[in-house]
Amino acid sequence: MPNKEMLLIPGPTPVVDEIYEALAQETYSHTDPRLVKRFKNSLDMTKRLFNTDGEVFVVAGSGTLSMEMAIVNTVAPGEKILVISHGYFGDRFIPLAQAHGIQVEVLQSQWGKHVEISAVEEKLAEGGFKAVTVTHADTSTGVMSNLEELVPAVKKYGPLFILDGVCASAAIEENMQKEYGHPDYRIDLVLTGSQKAIGVPPGLAIVAFGPKALKAREAMDKVAAYYMDILRWLPTMQDPGKYYATHPVNMIYAYEKGMELVMAEGLEARYKRHAALGKAVRAGLAQYGMRALAPEEIAAPTLSCILYPEGVNDAEFRSKLAEKGMVIAGSLANLAGKAFRIGHMGNATEEMFIKAMELVGETLNEMGLRADPAKAVETFKNVYHEGLGK
């Protein structure tokens, strides 16, 4: 199934033929031994992705469902969480938790910046927080959280560390057994979806629970959920032949293939490729006077929020690119009309972004601005190859 356009939004991301072919295979019964084998393989690779010594859950749903599963199964009504937000998607934890009767306090950064670690420690020193939520790469701002600072700052006060990896997993390290300065300073839970850096179509909610997060659920008498209750799912995740709810059979095929591609590339190589690609995309676009909202030292490898230079009409620019087969996303909230968002993750290739640099320059010239596509392409390639060590 050939891709007819370059889908360079922050997700869904480009899907390769091998994944489409897996998705299109004959649908087995949700308890068929052949599906059970493939699902087990998928779950094993998911554990390897997060290097967890806990359990992983892969169910029909979206990243939003994975966010809710994470909160509902670790924090009881009346308990308190701290939301560390670097943008719109960090803020989504606020109404989500409140819908379940959970108390929420928030530390919000100015868009394009980090929440100060001193503010995090000052807030946590007040005590009483069951968990802290952190968005690894916020899809609205292109800001990447600094886990090297945040994990120890949070864990020394005791709360669970819940990481939203929706726009990061399989592109940025999320090692749940990594010790951040102390054996107890580890990520307790990672949540994500299938459609971003993993490179599979939308449709799967993926959540990895470490030992402390599992104990938090076990200590709760009940949760205000049925489908989202991980204890109901646990026997099925340990043995996919056991029925709880119908598996999304063809999506499991696609997910298995997507994870096989991730593992075949190698996690370290994949992280390096994404870091190089993000830096190169921003450097190439800078040749057109386009500046990333997030400074390079905190910019995400997976997507960028790019501020327009003077004189560019957002709707016209994105519409013209779409006519040429390149789709990018508008920005959110107060940045709407002032910036666009471009994804550079998953199965996106160097060739796609060489073409993207050319199309952006061509479009700017059509709109009456001076642009040099050859220079942007050259810059992109040089920075990308340097990042890869070529």
Side-chain angles (χ1 to χ4, degrees), residues 206-232:
I206 302 157
V207 193
F209 279 70
K212 289 187 178 181
L214 289 170
K215 287 180 181 177
R217 172 61 190 95
E218 291 164 0
M220 299 166 73
D221 291 335
K222 61 180 180 178
V223 296
Y226 181 73
Y227 183 79
M228 292 188 295
D229 186 350
I230 63 165
L231 293 190
R232 296 183 186 275

Side-chain angles (χ1 to χ4, degrees), residues 68 83 88 90-102 104 106:
E68 198 154 7
V83 172
Y88 178 87
D91 290 349
R92 290 189 83 183
F93 278 107
I94 302 168
L96 189 154
Q98 290 173 337
H100 293 279
I102 294 166
V104 182
V106 189

